[in-house]
């Protein structure tokens, strides 16, 4: 789950990483009372979870006189379709130089990787794609608590040594907050010292509970409902509902629908060992989506019992046609139950998807 | 076959859990049929002295290995403690840990895999179905009846999709040497590169099916690393773009981790890419 900038900065600050003085406001009028803390010249930053926020008009400069007007203006905007409900008002820093630093999970080496660039800022991604040498990548053993000095020297190259403690603190944040990504872009140097001018922190969804985060904000309400039943669920815009077990097989079913020029309405992975109850909830959830006139159920597995699945489908008793392809324990019993109630059970993914195409047309 | 034959001695960690108990029985049924050793001991802290389907239970891996000759462990320990379980196994001398558990925090996975490596322990998974060498041995939860013995290796990030492909191969009369599910998490022990290197050294494997998904670029890395004939299938070409994780993910993955660009890059390397699972047997025949 992604934290907003001000939340990430609170975390960073707690680890001794200097951040600009700032206040969070929810009404334009609040800005006036807080200006004396920040000095003349402020930056107003919309707290929205979108990439390229600055370019999309989510960051505005103001002085004391224009602050309230600027705040009104920013609150009235939508940044890439997201309404602005909170603004972080910060002191404007006399920036000497901008660097880029982030720590992420490197799939290839299965270790944390520190990325550092001497030129930070909004164009970092494009710069990195154009010129690989623009970003230094250094992997660190996950068994080490600190970045050892020899690796820190490699990370910094010719950059000032005063950045080292900030980068090491960011590494502590990365480890202790179960981060998938901890990023400072830009990391700025000023005459007064080093600051994290922006902050990004993404927490591993599998570690939310132990990080004390009760609700995953990245999910929609329907997705959260699905999560409660143990499903992974994504809504799409087609007409053919899809229920599968396992992400790969479910994705593959969607691909097959596209291959036959159909459009899937959703992705729903019921997870391993689905019983009657779970299958019933899954079928009901997908059937409740507007525009769905046929549902393909594609289940395969050692633990999944076909008779349970059949009972779940029958118990759901939904209006859209349900076409079933399943293989596993008690296959014959499942087939018999479904046939008794007039459902179709097909032998392969291909035939099931083709049958669904015919119904959807 | 790779990673072990019928002589492999296996322990199960959290053997008293629902999945651990259920799959211990299935693994041993398979071992009996193949004339192999199968699961010789189980571990569940605080439950020493019990038996699960005739398999003795110990409190720790160390105690289990004191009484039994085993080099592999299948881990069914719940997510919050699974990383620790892998480290315990590696520390006690287990050489191969197959981690079935899903939803392990990625930092736990990184630590456990790094620690296991220090102890020369190979980790498969987490969040994987394990491995199956038809007629030899089964470690994990794959439905064995779909597979037949043969000369094609299968390596996959997916669970059920792997069963689908194995079923397609078997029905087309193409047997498998070993089927390996490496797991769908961002951080996994054995990657395509590692598994393909093992297949390359296996005299029984003549070609390999590589089954990938959206995210990362480990499929391309793997395919590039081997001289064996390879057929690939990538799930998720119709999936909406994966949520980007800031700049770092894009930079690491060269800006692309979606299925379409993966397929493009594989085509560029002249690797056959199946458009759907049912096309795989035909493509395999062409490279064999």
């Amino acid at each position: 789950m992604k934290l907003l900038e001000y939340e990430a900065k609170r975390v960073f600050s707690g680890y001794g990483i200097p951040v600009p003085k700032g206040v969070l406001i929810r009404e334009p009028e609040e800005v006036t009372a807080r200006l004396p803390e920040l000095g003349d010249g402020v930056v107003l930053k919309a707290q929205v979870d979108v990439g390229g926020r600055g370019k999309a008009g989510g960051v505005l400069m103001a002085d004391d006189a224009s602050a309230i007007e600027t705040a009104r203006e920013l609150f009235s905007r939508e940044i890439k379709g997201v309404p602005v409900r909170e603004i972080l008002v910060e002191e404007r820093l006399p920036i000497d130089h901008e660097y880029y630093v982030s720590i992420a999970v490197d799939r290839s080496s299965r270790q944390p990787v520190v990325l550092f660039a001497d030129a930070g800022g909004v164009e970092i991604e494009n710069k990195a794609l154009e010129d690989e040498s623009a970003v230094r990548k250094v992997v660190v053993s996950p068994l080490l608590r600190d970045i050892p000095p020899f690796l820190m020297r490699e990370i910094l190259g010719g950059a000032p040594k005063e950045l080292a403690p900030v980068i090491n603190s960011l590494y502590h944040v990365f480890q202790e907050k179960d981060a998938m990504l901890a990023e400072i872009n830009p990391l700025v140097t000023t005459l007064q010292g080093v600051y994290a001018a922006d902050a990004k922190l993404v927490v591993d969804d599998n570690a939310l509970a132990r990080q004390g985060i009760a609700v995953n904000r990245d999910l929609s309400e329907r997705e959260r409902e699905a999560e409660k039943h143990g499903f992974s669920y994504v809504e799409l815009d087609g007409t053919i509902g899809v229920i599968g077990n396992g992400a790969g097989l479910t994705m593959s079913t969607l691909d097959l629908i596209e291959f036959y020029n159909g459009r899937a309405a959703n992705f729903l992975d019921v997870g391993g060992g689905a019983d009657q109850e779970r299958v019933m909830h899954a079928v009901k959830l997908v059937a409740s989506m507007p525009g769905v006139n046929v549902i393909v159920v594609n289940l395969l597995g050692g633990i999944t019992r076909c008779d349970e699945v059949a009972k779940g489908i029958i118990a759901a008793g939904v209006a859209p046609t349900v076409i079933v392809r399943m293989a596993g324990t008690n296959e014959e019993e499942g087939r018999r139950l479904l046939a008794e109630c007039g459902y179709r059970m097909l032998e392969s993914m291909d035939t099931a998807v083709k049958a669904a195409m015919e119904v959807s047309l | 076959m790779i990673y072990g034959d019928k002589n492999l001695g296996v322990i199960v960690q959290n053997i008293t859990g629902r999945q651990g108990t259920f799959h211990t029985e299935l693994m041993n049924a398979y071992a009996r049929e193949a004339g192999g050793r199968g699961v010789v001991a189980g571990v569940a802290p605080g439950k020493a002295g019990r038996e699960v389907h005739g398999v003795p239970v110990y409190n720790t891996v160390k105690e289990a290995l004191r009484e039994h000759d085993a080099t592999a462990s299948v881990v069914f320990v719940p997510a919050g403690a699974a990383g620790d379980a892998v480290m315990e196994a590696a520390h006690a001398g287990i050489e191969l840990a197959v981690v079935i558990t899903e939803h392990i925090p990625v930092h736990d996975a990184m630590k456990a895999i790094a620690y296991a490596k220090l102890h020369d322990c190979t980790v498969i998974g987490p969040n994987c179905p394990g491995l199956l060498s038809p007629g030899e041995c089964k470690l994990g939860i794959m439905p064995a009846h779909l597979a037949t013995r043969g000369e094609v290796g299968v390596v996959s990030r997916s669970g059920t999709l792997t069963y689908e492909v194995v079923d397609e191969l078997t029905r087309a009369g193409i047997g498998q040497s070993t089927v390996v599910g490496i797991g769908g998490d961002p951080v996994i022990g054995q990657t395509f590169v590692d598994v393909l290197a093992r297949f390359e050294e296996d005299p029984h494997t003549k070609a390999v099916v590589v089954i990938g998904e959206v995210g990362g670029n480990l499929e391309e890395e793997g395919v590039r690393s081997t001289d064996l004939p390879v057929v690939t299938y990538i799930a998720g070409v119709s999936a909406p773009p994966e949520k980007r994780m800031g700049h770092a993910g894009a930079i690491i993955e060269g800006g692309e981790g979606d299925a379409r660009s993966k397929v493009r890059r594989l085509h560029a390397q002249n690797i056959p890419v199946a458009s759907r699972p049912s096309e795989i047997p035909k493509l395999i025949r062409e490279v064999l």
Side-chain angles (χ1 to χ4, degrees):
Chain A
M1 187 187 90
K2 270 187 223 148
L3 299 193
L4 292 169
E5 178 193 2
Y6 80 91
E7 297 170 316
K9 278 182 169 165
R10 261 178 214 166
V11 174
F12 288 11
S13 182
Y15 280 77
I17 298 173
V19 299
K21 271 186 278 182
V23 295
L24 187 74
I25 61 169
R26 294 192 172 84
E27 302 286 341
E29 292 69 28
E30 287 176 55
V31 75
T32 325
R34 313 301 295 269
L35 284 175
E37 299 167 44
L38 303 175
D40 196 16
V42 289
V43 192
L44 290 92
K45 302 164 99 177
Q47 297 301 290
V48 287
D49 174 21
V50 298
R53 175 185 60 173
K55 275 191 185 163
V59 178
L60 298 175
M61 305 289 175
D63 53 32
D64 274 9
S66 65
I68 196 163
E69 256 327 295
T70 311
R72 279 200 190 104
E73 164 63 25
L74 192 51
F75 272 118
S76 72
R77 284 187 186 176
E78 281 193 356
I79 312 301
K80 292 190 177 169
V82 181
V84 179
R85 302 195 197 286
E86 295 168 317
I87 294 174
L88 180 62
V89 187
E90 284 187 336
E91 64 173 324
R92 217 186 295 170
L93 295 168
I95 294 170
D96 185 35
H97 190 89
E98 296 188 330
Y99 297 91
Y100 169 88
V101 62
S102 75
I103 306 174
V105 174
D106 181 30
R107 292 175 184 234
S108 183
S109 72
R110 313 144 177 106
Q111 297 183 91
V113 60
V114 181
L115 295 105
F116 184 88
D118 293 305
V122 289
E123 291 296 338
I124 181 71
E125 189 170 340
N126 295 337
K127 276 184 207 157
L129 288 177
E130 278 165 24
D131 174 15
E132 263 192 36
S133 67
V135 180
R136 284 192 285 281
K137 302 174 192 176
V138 174
V139 295
V140 182
S141 166
L143 301 175
L144 296 176
R145 226 193 83 73
D146 290 287
I147 299 174
F150 81 97
L151 284 183
M152 190 61 88
R153 287 196 292 274
E154 198 178 315
I155 291 164
L156 288 176
K161 285 189 184 66
E162 56 181 323
L163 300 179
V166 172
I167 296 172
N168 201 46
S169 295
L170 189 67
Y171 186 62
H172 292 161
V173 171
F174 179 76
Q175 287 180 312
E176 289 168 24
K177 294 296 167 188
D178 276 303
M180 298 297 286
L181 173 71
E183 179 179 279
I184 302 175
N185 182 32
L187 173 64
V188 303
T189 50
T190 71
L191 286 175
Q192 288 85 45
V194 183
Y195 291 92
D198 199 355
K200 196 173 280 174
L201 190 58
V202 181
V203 179
D204 180 4
D205 286 346
N206 285 335
L208 293 182
R210 75 178 180 195
Q211 289 298 337
I213 299 169
V215 177
N216 187 346
R217 284 189 313 224
D218 289 355
L219 301 180
S220 76
E221 209 167 308
R222 223 198 267 258
E223 285 169 345
R224 246 177 254 152
E225 174 67 23
E227 202 184 40
K228 248 187 264 166
H229 293 297
F231 308 149
S232 7
Y233 176 73
V234 180
E235 279 178 16
L236 306 166
D237 54 8
T239 54
I240 303 175
V242 178
I243 296 169
N245 66 336
L249 185 67
T250 313
M251 260 195 282
S252 179
T253 313
L254 299 185
D255 294 346
L256 201 55
I257 290 171
E258 196 187 74
F259 180 82
Y260 288 117
N261 296 317
R263 280 163 59 235
N266 74 292
F267 167 100
L268 192 156
D269 167 14
V270 289
D275 60 7
Q276 179 180 340
E277 177 107 357
R278 254 161 85 188
V279 172
M280 184 191 74
H281 282 300
V283 174
K284 279 188 172 168
L285 185 76
V286 174
S288 75
M289 291 180 62
V292 170
N293 57 5
V294 58
I295 300 171
V296 182
V297 176
N298 185 14
L299 297 179
L300 193 64
I303 332 169
T304 308
R305 284 174 45 185
C306 295
D307 54 330
E308 286 277 325
V309 175
K311 283 178 196 160
I313 291 167
I314 294 161
V318 295
T321 311
V322 181
I323 289 168
V324 186
R325 181 279 171 124
M326 57 184 173
T329 322
N330 298 351
E331 198 174 308
E332 284 315 307
E333 177 66 5
R335 191 186 302 277
R336 192 187 63 76
L337 287 168
L338 287 173
E340 263 177 21
C341 296
Y343 288 92
R344 292 177 74 184
M345 184 161 146
L346 293 159
E347 293 299 324
S348 72
M349 265 174 83
D350 288 72
T351 51
V353 166
K354 277 187 205 159
M357 293 294 302
E358 280 163 26
V359 176
S360 81
L361 291 176
Chain B
M1 86 243 32
I2 56 175
Y3 294 107
D5 55 20
K6 58 182 65 163
N7 297 315
L8 195 65
V10 182
I11 64 164
V12 166
Q13 285 175 268
N14 193 20
I15 194 168
T16 55
R18 199 169 65 94
Q19 297 287 344
T21 300
F22 182 74
H23 287 288
T24 294
E25 194 187 8
L26 291 183
M27 280 188 268
N28 277 346
Y30 198 79
R32 278 193 297 277
E33 221 171 276
R37 294 182 61 214
V39 181
V40 296
V43 175
K47 293 180 178 164
R50 293 195 195 183
E51 277 195 0
V52 171
H53 299 297
V55 176
V57 179
Y58 299 85
N59 282 332
T60 66
V61 177
K62 200 188 265 180
E63 284 165 28
L65 295 189
R66 205 176 286 146
E67 302 296 325
H68 302 270
D69 173 25
T71 52
S73 174
V74 183
V75 179
F76 288 98
V77 174
D84 185 55
V86 172
M87 293 194 280
E88 182 193 346
H91 190 87
I94 287 290
E95 293 163 16
L96 176 67
V98 178
V99 189
I100 310 301
T101 313
E102 58 178 340
H103 299 306
I104 298 180
V106 74
H107 282 259
D108 292 6
M110 285 195 290
K111 285 195 184 92
I113 289 165
Y115 186 84
K117 199 174 174 189
L118 290 180
H119 290 266
D120 294 319
C121 171
T122 300
V123 178
I124 297 179
N127 189 13
C128 83
L131 62 107
L132 174 66
S133 296
E136 287 287 336
C137 77
K138 164 176 148 151
L139 297 178
I141 64 172
M142 285 195 200
H145 65 278
L146 301 175
T148 45
R149 194 171 187 142
E151 298 184 321
V152 173
V154 178
V155 55
S156 170
R157 277 169 66 186
S158 170
T160 45
L161 181 57
T162 315
Y163 316 157
E164 175 74 34
V165 172
V166 168
D167 190 35
E168 292 280 0
L169 289 171
T170 296
R171 283 202 269 166
I174 301 169
Q176 306 91 43
S177 54
T178 300
V179 181
V180 187
I182 56 175
D185 282 0
V187 168
I188 48 177
Q190 293 283 283
T191 63
F192 287 111
V193 174
D194 305 310
V195 179
L196 282 160
R198 300 237 183 184
F199 275 134
E200 213 167 295
E201 283 173 17
D202 174 31
H204 303 290
T205 302
K206 305 284 186 247
V208 180
V209 181
V210 169
I211 306 164
E213 285 178 9
V214 287
N217 57 7
L218 296 179
E219 290 84 354
E220 297 93 301
E221 242 178 62
V223 167
R224 261 200 307 276
S225 73
T226 185
D227 291 329
L228 277 173
V230 168
V231 168
T232 61
Y233 170 72
I234 306 292
V237 287
S238 68
E242 204 186 20
K243 278 180 199 166
R244 279 273 188 91
M245 294 221 323
H247 292 123
I251 292 167
I252 291 169
E253 291 161 6
E256 301 183 60
D258 65 291
R260 276 182 210 284
S261 58
K262 249 182 226 281
V263 169
R264 264 199 306 279
R265 289 195 293 263
L266 289 166
H267 277 307
Q269 293 175 50
N270 289 321
I271 301 295
V273 184
S275 58
R276 53 196 201 279
S278 57
E279 203 186 16
I280 292 172
K282 181 175 83 87
L283 293 180
I284 273 289
R285 283 218 177 81
E286 284 169 12
V287 300
L288 269 177

